[in-house]
Amino acid sequence: MMSYQDWQDEARRRFGDNPAFWYFQCPICKGIQCPEDFRQYKDRGATPDSARYNCLGRYQQETAGKNLSGTPESRCDYTLGGLFRLTGVIVIHNGEERHCFDFAPDVEEAEAPR
């Protein structure tokens, strides 16, 4: 567990001051994503906050509703909002627990297919 402030500080240290480009990694398919990636899926219910707990594949037509795992090219539909919460970090924000994917290992690795 970590405080929201500590979580933000770590994100800024790794990725800079713009939260739209803070990178997260899905624990199932290992895909790398940032909040900006979710903007194009607004009509499917995605929000920038979705990046911290939903795999981008939940919103992509070719993977939505499927459970493809294994590679970043095969995005899955995993969410930390479901029955099983695999890995990630718990962030305490306004007294509540928020489950979040781990940050992507490095900014350079965020160049991987999303």
Side-chain angles (χ1 to χ4, degrees):
M1 268 192 246
M2 66 190 318
S3 74
Y4 185 64
Q5 185 63 55
D6 289 345
W7 182 78
Q8 287 184 314
D9 290 346
E10 179 63 14
R12 284 188 183 96
R13 184 188 71 73
R14 289 173 178 236
F15 309 115
D17 291 333
N18 188 345
F21 296 99
W22 291 354
Y23 292 90
F24 301 90
Q25 186 170 36
C26 174
I28 303 301
C29 69
K30 306 301 183 206
I32 305 293
Q33 61 195 35
C34 69
E36 184 62 25
D37 295 330
F38 287 74
R39 182 185 305 272
Q40 66 183 313
Y41 300 108
K42 181 180 178 182
D43 63 329
R44 296 184 188 161
T47 68
D49 193 46
S50 299
R52 72 171 175 82
Y53 64 91
N54 284 336
C55 184
L56 188 62
R58 291 184 76 78
Y59 305 100
Q60 294 174 325
Q61 192 67 30
E62 61 275 11
T63 55
K66 297 177 183 163
N67 209 354
L68 307 171
S69 63
T71 68
E73 296 82 24
S74 299
R75 299 307 301 264
C76 68
D77 65 354
Y78 182 70
T79 179
L80 286 174
L83 180 60
F84 299 103
R85 293 188 175 131
L86 305 174
T87 70
V89 63
I90 299 172
V91 177
I92 305 300
H93 183 61
N94 294 330
E96 294 183 18
E97 291 184 358
R98 297 177 77 185
H99 294 263
C100 303
F101 286 164
D102 287 325
F103 290 121
D106 292 306
V107 174
E108 292 77 26
E109 290 185 40
E111 299 295 325
R114 294 180 272 169

PDB file of all heavy atoms in Angstrom, residues 45-78:
ATOM      1  N   GLY A  45     -16.931   4.002 -23.067  1.00  0.00           N
ATOM      2  CA  GLY A  45     -16.922   4.061 -21.610  1.00  0.00           C
ATOM      3  C   GLY A  45     -15.560   4.259 -20.972  1.00  0.00           C
ATOM      4  O   GLY A  45     -15.452   4.304 -19.749  1.00  0.00           O
ATOM      5  N   ALA A  46     -14.526   4.377 -21.776  1.00  0.00           N
ATOM      6  CA  ALA A  46     -13.179   4.577 -21.230  1.00  0.00           C
ATOM      7  C   ALA A  46     -13.002   6.007 -20.734  1.00  0.00           C
ATOM      8  O   ALA A  46     -13.560   6.947 -21.295  1.00  0.00           O
ATOM      9  CB  ALA A  46     -12.132   4.276 -22.293  1.00  0.00           C
ATOM     10  N   THR A  47     -12.234   6.142 -19.668  1.00  0.00           N
ATOM     11  CA  THR A  47     -11.836   7.451 -19.160  1.00  0.00           C
ATOM     12  C   THR A  47     -10.320   7.423 -18.992  1.00  0.00           C
ATOM     13  O   THR A  47      -9.724   6.338 -18.977  1.00  0.00           O
ATOM     14  CB  THR A  47     -12.486   7.757 -17.791  1.00  0.00           C
ATOM     15  OG1 THR A  47     -11.931   6.862 -16.811  1.00  0.00           O
ATOM     16  CG2 THR A  47     -14.004   7.616 -17.830  1.00  0.00           C
ATOM     17  N   PRO A  48      -9.677   8.560 -18.840  1.00  0.00           N
ATOM     18  CA  PRO A  48      -8.235   8.527 -18.591  1.00  0.00           C
ATOM     19  C   PRO A  48      -7.871   7.680 -17.366  1.00  0.00           C
ATOM     20  O   PRO A  48      -6.850   7.000 -17.361  1.00  0.00           O
ATOM     21  CB  PRO A  48      -7.882  10.000 -18.380  1.00  0.00           C
ATOM     22  CG  PRO A  48      -8.902  10.728 -19.189  1.00  0.00           C
ATOM     23  CD  PRO A  48     -10.169   9.925 -19.016  1.00  0.00           C
ATOM     24  N   ASP A  49      -8.732   7.681 -16.355  1.00  0.00           N
ATOM     25  CA  ASP A  49      -8.476   6.907 -15.146  1.00  0.00           C
ATOM     26  C   ASP A  49      -8.501   5.399 -15.413  1.00  0.00           C
ATOM     27  O   ASP A  49      -7.910   4.621 -14.669  1.00  0.00           O
ATOM     28  CB  ASP A  49      -9.491   7.279 -14.068  1.00  0.00           C
ATOM     29  CG  ASP A  49      -9.110   6.752 -12.696  1.00  0.00           C
ATOM     30  OD1 ASP A  49      -7.924   6.894 -12.310  1.00  0.00           O
ATOM     31  OD2 ASP A  49      -9.995   6.210 -12.008  1.00  0.00           O
ATOM     32  N   SER A  50      -9.150   4.971 -16.496  1.00  0.00           N
ATOM     33  CA  SER A  50      -9.223   3.552 -16.836  1.00  0.00           C
ATOM     34  C   SER A  50      -7.836   2.936 -17.003  1.00  0.00           C
ATOM     35  O   SER A  50      -7.647   1.741 -16.769  1.00  0.00           O
ATOM     36  CB  SER A  50     -10.010   3.342 -18.131  1.00  0.00           C
ATOM     37  OG  SER A  50     -11.329   3.809 -18.018  1.00  0.00           O
ATOM     38  N   ALA A  51      -6.855   3.732 -17.393  1.00  0.00           N
ATOM     39  CA  ALA A  51      -5.504   3.218 -17.653  1.00  0.00           C
ATOM     40  C   ALA A  51      -4.867   2.581 -16.434  1.00  0.00           C
ATOM     41  O   ALA A  51      -4.033   1.694 -16.570  1.00  0.00           O
ATOM     42  CB  ALA A  51      -4.604   4.343 -18.170  1.00  0.00           C
ATOM     43  N   ARG A  52      -5.262   3.001 -15.243  1.00  0.00           N
ATOM     44  CA  ARG A  52      -4.621   2.480 -14.039  1.00  0.00           C
ATOM     45  C   ARG A  52      -5.198   1.137 -13.583  1.00  0.00           C
ATOM     46  O   ARG A  52      -4.601   0.455 -12.765  1.00  0.00           O
ATOM     47  CB  ARG A  52      -4.698   3.488 -12.887  1.00  0.00           C
ATOM     48  CG  ARG A  52      -6.064   3.644 -12.306  1.00  0.00           C
ATOM     49  CD  ARG A  52      -6.091   4.471 -11.030  1.00  0.00           C
ATOM     50  NE  ARG A  52      -7.452   4.664 -10.620  1.00  0.00           N
ATOM     51  CZ  ARG A  52      -8.174   3.779  -9.939  1.00  0.00           C
ATOM     52  NH1 ARG A  52      -7.641   2.637  -9.559  1.00  0.00           N
ATOM     53  NH2 ARG A  52      -9.428   4.036  -9.622  1.00  0.00           N
ATOM     54  N   TYR A  53      -6.348   0.722 -14.137  1.00  0.00           N
ATOM     55  CA  TYR A  53      -6.941  -0.532 -13.658  1.00  0.00           C
ATOM     56  C   TYR A  53      -7.612  -1.391 -14.720  1.00  0.00           C
ATOM     57  O   TYR A  53      -8.034  -2.510 -14.422  1.00  0.00           O
ATOM     58  CB  TYR A  53      -7.924  -0.268 -12.518  1.00  0.00           C
ATOM     59  CG  TYR A  53      -9.141   0.546 -12.905  1.00  0.00           C
ATOM     60  CD1 TYR A  53     -10.295  -0.073 -13.329  1.00  0.00           C
ATOM     61  CD2 TYR A  53      -9.120   1.927 -12.833  1.00  0.00           C
ATOM     62  CE1 TYR A  53     -11.413   0.669 -13.692  1.00  0.00           C
ATOM     63  CE2 TYR A  53     -10.223   2.681 -13.170  1.00  0.00           C
ATOM     64  CZ  TYR A  53     -11.368   2.046 -13.608  1.00  0.00           C
ATOM     65  OH  TYR A  53     -12.457   2.791 -13.965  1.00  0.00           O
ATOM     66  N   ASN A  54      -7.741  -0.939 -15.951  1.00  0.00           N
ATOM     67  CA  ASN A  54      -8.314  -1.733 -17.041  1.00  0.00           C
ATOM     68  C   ASN A  54      -7.287  -1.894 -18.143  1.00  0.00           C
ATOM     69  O   ASN A  54      -6.620  -0.925 -18.512  1.00  0.00           O
ATOM     70  CB  ASN A  54      -9.533  -1.036 -17.658  1.00  0.00           C
ATOM     71  CG  ASN A  54     -10.768  -1.137 -16.815  1.00  0.00           C
ATOM     72  OD1 ASN A  54     -10.907  -2.036 -16.007  1.00  0.00           O
ATOM     73  ND2 ASN A  54     -11.682  -0.212 -17.003  1.00  0.00           N
ATOM     74  N   CYS A  55      -7.207  -3.087 -18.711  1.00  0.00           N
ATOM     75  CA  CYS A  55      -6.369  -3.264 -19.883  1.00  0.00           C
ATOM     76  C   CYS A  55      -7.032  -2.553 -21.058  1.00  0.00           C
ATOM     77  O   CYS A  55      -8.268  -2.568 -21.201  1.00  0.00           O
ATOM     78  CB  CYS A  55      -6.189  -4.749 -20.202  1.00  0.00           C
ATOM     79  SG  CYS A  55      -5.055  -5.021 -21.588  1.00  0.00           S
ATOM     80  N   LEU A  56      -6.244  -1.955 -21.903  1.00  0.00           N
ATOM     81  CA  LEU A  56      -6.746  -1.248 -23.079  1.00  0.00           C
ATOM     82  C   LEU A  56      -7.592  -2.158 -23.966  1.00  0.00           C
ATOM     83  O   LEU A  56      -8.528  -1.707 -24.622  1.00  0.00           O
ATOM     84  CB  LEU A  56      -5.568  -0.669 -23.868  1.00  0.00           C
ATOM     85  CG  LEU A  56      -5.882   0.258 -25.024  1.00  0.00           C
ATOM     86  CD1 LEU A  56      -6.614   1.508 -24.531  1.00  0.00           C
ATOM     87  CD2 LEU A  56      -4.614   0.645 -25.747  1.00  0.00           C
ATOM     88  N   GLY A  57      -7.292  -3.457 -23.944  1.00  0.00           N
ATOM     89  CA  GLY A  57      -8.043  -4.416 -24.750  1.00  0.00           C
ATOM     90  C   GLY A  57      -9.533  -4.463 -24.440  1.00  0.00           C
ATOM     91  O   GLY A  57     -10.322  -4.888 -25.280  1.00  0.00           O
ATOM     92  N   ARG A  58      -9.948  -4.017 -23.260  1.00  0.00           N
ATOM     93  CA  ARG A  58     -11.377  -3.989 -22.921  1.00  0.00           C
ATOM     94  C   ARG A  58     -12.149  -3.080 -23.863  1.00  0.00           C
ATOM     95  O   ARG A  58     -13.361  -3.229 -24.020  1.00  0.00           O
ATOM     96  CB  ARG A  58     -11.594  -3.500 -21.492  1.00  0.00           C
ATOM     97  CG  ARG A  58     -11.130  -4.451 -20.428  1.00  0.00           C
ATOM     98  CD  ARG A  58     -11.469  -3.932 -19.043  1.00  0.00           C
ATOM     99  NE  ARG A  58     -12.871  -4.101 -18.724  1.00  0.00           N
ATOM    100  CZ  ARG A  58     -13.452  -5.239 -18.353  1.00  0.00           C
ATOM    101  NH1 ARG A  58     -12.742  -6.335 -18.274  1.00  0.00           N
ATOM    102  NH2 ARG A  58     -14.721  -5.283 -18.056  1.00  0.00           N
ATOM    103  N   TYR A  59     -11.467  -2.136 -24.470  1.00  0.00           N
ATOM    104  CA  TYR A  59     -12.127  -1.134 -25.294  1.00  0.00           C
ATOM    105  C   TYR A  59     -11.833  -1.284 -26.776  1.00  0.00           C
ATOM    106  O   TYR A  59     -12.475  -0.647 -27.601  1.00  0.00           O
ATOM    107  CB  TYR A  59     -11.707   0.271 -24.830  1.00  0.00           C
ATOM    108  CG  TYR A  59     -11.984   0.456 -23.365  1.00  0.00           C
ATOM    109  CD1 TYR A  59     -10.966   0.330 -22.423  1.00  0.00           C
ATOM    110  CD2 TYR A  59     -13.270   0.712 -22.902  1.00  0.00           C
ATOM    111  CE1 TYR A  59     -11.219   0.469 -21.071  1.00  0.00           C
ATOM    112  CE2 TYR A  59     -13.526   0.847 -21.552  1.00  0.00           C
ATOM    113  CZ  TYR A  59     -12.497   0.722 -20.641  1.00  0.00           C
ATOM    114  OH  TYR A  59     -12.754   0.854 -19.297  1.00  0.00           O
ATOM    115  N   GLN A  60     -10.890  -2.099 -27.123  1.00  0.00           N
ATOM    116  CA  GLN A  60     -10.534  -2.284 -28.522  1.00  0.00           C
ATOM    117  C   GLN A  60     -11.470  -3.303 -29.160  1.00  0.00           C
ATOM    118  O   GLN A  60     -11.702  -4.370 -28.597  1.00  0.00           O
ATOM    119  CB  GLN A  60      -9.078  -2.740 -28.652  1.00  0.00           C
ATOM    120  CG  GLN A  60      -8.113  -1.686 -28.193  1.00  0.00           C
ATOM    121  CD  GLN A  60      -6.678  -2.183 -28.170  1.00  0.00           C
ATOM    122  OE1 GLN A  60      -6.408  -3.344 -27.878  1.00  0.00           O
ATOM    123  NE2 GLN A  60      -5.756  -1.277 -28.464  1.00  0.00           N
ATOM    124  N   GLN A  61     -11.995  -2.977 -30.310  1.00  0.00           N
ATOM    125  CA  GLN A  61     -12.980  -3.818 -30.986  1.00  0.00           C
ATOM    126  C   GLN A  61     -12.470  -5.242 -31.189  1.00  0.00           C
ATOM    127  O   GLN A  61     -13.184  -6.201 -30.974  1.00  0.00           O
ATOM    128  CB  GLN A  61     -13.338  -3.209 -32.341  1.00  0.00           C
ATOM    129  CG  GLN A  61     -14.539  -3.844 -32.995  1.00  0.00           C
ATOM    130  CD  GLN A  61     -15.825  -3.584 -32.222  1.00  0.00           C
ATOM    131  OE1 GLN A  61     -15.964  -2.567 -31.567  1.00  0.00           O
ATOM    132  NE2 GLN A  61     -16.762  -4.504 -32.309  1.00  0.00           N
ATOM    133  N   GLU A  62     -11.198  -5.373 -31.557  1.00  0.00           N
ATOM    134  CA  GLU A  62     -10.665  -6.697 -31.871  1.00  0.00           C
ATOM    135  C   GLU A  62     -10.437  -7.576 -30.644  1.00  0.00           C
ATOM    136  O   GLU A  62     -10.331  -8.780 -30.762  1.00  0.00           O
ATOM    137  CB  GLU A  62      -9.373  -6.582 -32.690  1.00  0.00           C
ATOM    138  CG  GLU A  62      -8.246  -5.844 -31.997  1.00  0.00           C
ATOM    139  CD  GLU A  62      -8.291  -4.321 -32.134  1.00  0.00           C
ATOM    140  OE1 GLU A  62      -9.301  -3.759 -32.602  1.00  0.00           O
ATOM    141  OE2 GLU A  62      -7.307  -3.694 -31.747  1.00  0.00           O
ATOM    142  N   THR A  63     -10.388  -7.003 -29.443  1.00  0.00           N
ATOM    143  CA  THR A  63     -10.163  -7.811 -28.246  1.00  0.00           C
ATOM    144  C   THR A  63     -11.258  -7.654 -27.203  1.00  0.00           C
ATOM    145  O   THR A  63     -11.307  -8.414 -26.259  1.00  0.00           O
ATOM    146  CB  THR A  63      -8.820  -7.458 -27.575  1.00  0.00           C
ATOM    147  OG1 THR A  63      -8.789  -6.069 -27.304  1.00  0.00           O
ATOM    148  CG2 THR A  63      -7.643  -7.854 -28.433  1.00  0.00           C
ATOM    149  N   ALA A  64     -12.135  -6.695 -27.353  1.00  0.00           N
ATOM    150  CA  ALA A  64     -13.178  -6.462 -26.350  1.00  0.00           C
ATOM    151  C   ALA A  64     -13.978  -7.747 -26.111  1.00  0.00           C
ATOM    152  O   ALA A  64     -14.424  -8.402 -27.042  1.00  0.00           O
ATOM    153  CB  ALA A  64     -14.106  -5.336 -26.790  1.00  0.00           C
ATOM    154  N   GLY A  65     -14.120  -8.104 -24.847  1.00  0.00           N
ATOM    155  CA  GLY A  65     -14.890  -9.277 -24.466  1.00  0.00           C
ATOM    156  C   GLY A  65     -14.146 -10.598 -24.585  1.00  0.00           C
ATOM    157  O   GLY A  65     -14.704 -11.641 -24.325  1.00  0.00           O
ATOM    158  N   LYS A  66     -12.884 -10.539 -24.998  1.00  0.00           N
ATOM    159  CA  LYS A  66     -12.089 -11.751 -25.110  1.00  0.00           C
ATOM    160  C   LYS A  66     -11.049 -11.748 -24.012  1.00  0.00           C
ATOM    161  O   LYS A  66     -10.743 -10.726 -23.428  1.00  0.00           O
ATOM    162  CB  LYS A  66     -11.407 -11.818 -26.472  1.00  0.00           C
ATOM    163  CG  LYS A  66     -12.412 -11.891 -27.599  1.00  0.00           C
ATOM    164  CD  LYS A  66     -11.720 -11.886 -28.921  1.00  0.00           C
ATOM    165  CE  LYS A  66     -12.762 -11.892 -30.026  1.00  0.00           C
ATOM    166  NZ  LYS A  66     -12.202 -11.508 -31.298  1.00  0.00           N
ATOM    167  N   ASN A  67     -10.485 -12.876 -23.734  1.00  0.00           N
ATOM    168  CA  ASN A  67      -9.458 -12.961 -22.704  1.00  0.00           C
ATOM    169  C   ASN A  67      -8.184 -13.496 -23.329  1.00  0.00           C
ATOM    170  O   ASN A  67      -7.785 -14.619 -23.107  1.00  0.00           O
ATOM    171  CB  ASN A  67      -9.935 -13.850 -21.553  1.00  0.00           C
ATOM    172  CG  ASN A  67      -9.305 -13.443 -20.251  1.00  0.00           C
ATOM    173  OD1 ASN A  67      -8.442 -12.577 -20.211  1.00  0.00           O
ATOM    174  ND2 ASN A  67      -9.746 -14.057 -19.181  1.00  0.00           N
ATOM    175  N   LEU A  68      -7.575 -12.665 -24.147  1.00  0.00           N
ATOM    176  CA  LEU A  68      -6.343 -13.044 -24.824  1.00  0.00           C
ATOM    177  C   LEU A  68      -5.182 -12.685 -23.925  1.00  0.00           C
ATOM    178  O   LEU A  68      -5.073 -11.574 -23.463  1.00  0.00           O
ATOM    179  CB  LEU A  68      -6.218 -12.285 -26.148  1.00  0.00           C
ATOM    180  CG  LEU A  68      -7.428 -12.388 -27.071  1.00  0.00           C
ATOM    181  CD1 LEU A  68      -7.274 -11.424 -28.233  1.00  0.00           C
ATOM    182  CD2 LEU A  68      -7.581 -13.809 -27.572  1.00  0.00           C
ATOM    183  N   SER A  69      -4.293 -13.614 -23.689  1.00  0.00           N
ATOM    184  CA  SER A  69      -3.153 -13.300 -22.826  1.00  0.00           C
ATOM    185  C   SER A  69      -1.857 -13.746 -23.476  1.00  0.00           C
ATOM    186  O   SER A  69      -1.864 -14.571 -24.371  1.00  0.00           O
ATOM    187  CB  SER A  69      -3.301 -13.962 -21.461  1.00  0.00           C
ATOM    188  OG  SER A  69      -3.317 -15.349 -21.590  1.00  0.00           O
ATOM    189  N   GLY A  70      -0.777 -13.159 -23.014  1.00  0.00           N
ATOM    190  CA  GLY A  70       0.517 -13.617 -23.455  1.00  0.00           C
ATOM    191  C   GLY A  70       1.430 -12.553 -24.001  1.00  0.00           C
ATOM    192  O   GLY A  70       2.570 -12.484 -23.617  1.00  0.00           O
ATOM    193  N   THR A  71       0.946 -11.701 -24.908  1.00  0.00           N
ATOM    194  CA  THR A  71       1.836 -10.713 -25.506  1.00  0.00           C
ATOM    195  C   THR A  71       1.168  -9.348 -25.566  1.00  0.00           C
ATOM    196  O   THR A  71      -0.053  -9.251 -25.621  1.00  0.00           O
ATOM    197  CB  THR A  71       2.232 -11.116 -26.942  1.00  0.00           C
ATOM    198  OG1 THR A  71       1.077 -11.027 -27.763  1.00  0.00           O
ATOM    199  CG2 THR A  71       2.814 -12.503 -27.002  1.00  0.00           C
ATOM    200  N   PRO A  72       1.965  -8.276 -25.590  1.00  0.00           N
ATOM    201  CA  PRO A  72       1.388  -6.935 -25.721  1.00  0.00           C
ATOM    202  C   PRO A  72       0.604  -6.757 -27.014  1.00  0.00           C
ATOM    203  O   PRO A  72      -0.304  -5.948 -27.082  1.00  0.00           O
ATOM    204  CB  PRO A  72       2.607  -6.009 -25.702  1.00  0.00           C
ATOM    205  CG  PRO A  72       3.660  -6.782 -25.009  1.00  0.00           C
ATOM    206  CD  PRO A  72       3.408  -8.225 -25.378  1.00  0.00           C
ATOM    207  N   GLU A  73       0.960  -7.506 -28.058  1.00  0.00           N
ATOM    208  CA  GLU A  73       0.235  -7.403 -29.321  1.00  0.00           C
ATOM    209  C   GLU A  73      -1.162  -8.011 -29.216  1.00  0.00           C
ATOM    210  O   GLU A  73      -2.022  -7.717 -30.019  1.00  0.00           O
ATOM    211  CB  GLU A  73       1.012  -8.088 -30.453  1.00  0.00           C
ATOM    212  CG  GLU A  73       2.337  -7.438 -30.757  1.00  0.00           C
ATOM    213  CD  GLU A  73       3.457  -7.889 -29.813  1.00  0.00           C
ATOM    214  OE1 GLU A  73       3.366  -8.983 -29.226  1.00  0.00           O
ATOM    215  OE2 GLU A  73       4.413  -7.121 -29.652  1.00  0.00           O
ATOM    216  N   SER A  74      -1.365  -8.903 -28.260  1.00  0.00           N
ATOM    217  CA  SER A  74      -2.665  -9.544 -28.040  1.00  0.00           C
ATOM    218  C   SER A  74      -3.228  -9.016 -26.733  1.00  0.00           C
ATOM    219  O   SER A  74      -3.113  -9.660 -25.692  1.00  0.00           O
ATOM    220  CB  SER A  74      -2.510 -11.064 -27.956  1.00  0.00           C
ATOM    221  OG  SER A  74      -1.985 -11.580 -29.130  1.00  0.00           O
ATOM    222  N   ARG A  75      -3.785  -7.836 -26.765  1.00  0.00           N
ATOM    223  CA  ARG A  75      -4.299  -7.217 -25.551  1.00  0.00           C
ATOM    224  C   ARG A  75      -5.463  -8.030 -25.002  1.00  0.00           C
ATOM    225  O   ARG A  75      -6.201  -8.675 -25.731  1.00  0.00           O
ATOM    226  CB  ARG A  75      -4.730  -5.776 -25.832  1.00  0.00           C
ATOM    227  CG  ARG A  75      -3.606  -4.860 -26.315  1.00  0.00           C
ATOM    228  CD  ARG A  75      -2.394  -4.867 -25.408  1.00  0.00           C
ATOM    229  NE  ARG A  75      -2.680  -4.469 -24.072  1.00  0.00           N
ATOM    230  CZ  ARG A  75      -2.520  -3.237 -23.588  1.00  0.00           C
ATOM    231  NH1 ARG A  75      -2.052  -2.283 -24.350  1.00  0.00           N
ATOM    232  NH2 ARG A  75      -2.812  -2.971 -22.344  1.00  0.00           N
ATOM    233  N   CYS A  76      -5.618  -8.006 -23.691  1.00  0.00           N
ATOM    234  CA  CYS A  76      -6.669  -8.774 -23.039  1.00  0.00           C
ATOM    235  C   CYS A  76      -7.760  -7.830 -22.522  1.00  0.00           C
ATOM    236  O   CYS A  76      -7.747  -6.640 -22.804  1.00  0.00           O
ATOM    237  CB  CYS A  76      -6.076  -9.619 -21.909  1.00  0.00           C
ATOM    238  SG  CYS A  76      -5.447  -8.670 -20.500  1.00  0.00           S
ATOM    239  N   ASP A  77      -8.697  -8.373 -21.778  1.00  0.00           N
ATOM    240  CA  ASP A  77      -9.776  -7.542 -21.236  1.00  0.00           C
ATOM    241  C   ASP A  77      -9.744  -7.519 -19.704  1.00  0.00           C
ATOM    242  O   ASP A  77     -10.743  -7.273 -19.055  1.00  0.00           O
ATOM    243  CB  ASP A  77     -11.133  -8.006 -21.746  1.00  0.00           C
ATOM    244  CG  ASP A  77     -11.531  -9.398 -21.264  1.00  0.00           C
ATOM    245  OD1 ASP A  77     -10.701 -10.084 -20.616  1.00  0.00           O
ATOM    246  OD2 ASP A  77     -12.665  -9.808 -21.530  1.00  0.00           O
ATOM    247  N   TYR A  78      -8.570  -7.735 -19.126  1.00  0.00           N
ATOM    248  CA  TYR A  78      -8.441  -7.804 -17.675  1.00  0.00           C
ATOM    249  C   TYR A  78      -8.743  -6.459 -17.006  1.00  0.00           C
ATOM    250  O   TYR A  78      -8.441  -5.394 -17.540  1.00  0.00           O
ATOM    251  CB  TYR A  78      -7.027  -8.254 -17.297  1.00  0.00           C
ATOM    252  CG  TYR A  78      -6.863  -8.391 -15.797  1.00  0.00           C
ATOM    253  CD1 TYR A  78      -7.495  -9.404 -15.102  1.00  0.00           C
ATOM    254  CD2 TYR A  78      -6.115  -7.466 -15.078  1.00  0.00           C
ATOM    255  CE1 TYR A  78      -7.375  -9.515 -13.734  1.00  0.00           C
ATOM    256  CE2 TYR A  78      -5.989  -7.572 -13.709  1.00  0.00           C
ATOM    257  CZ  TYR A  78      -6.627  -8.593 -13.043  1.00  0.00           C
ATOM    258  OH  TYR A  78      -6.522  -8.685 -11.680  1.00  0.00           O
TER     259      TYR A  78
END
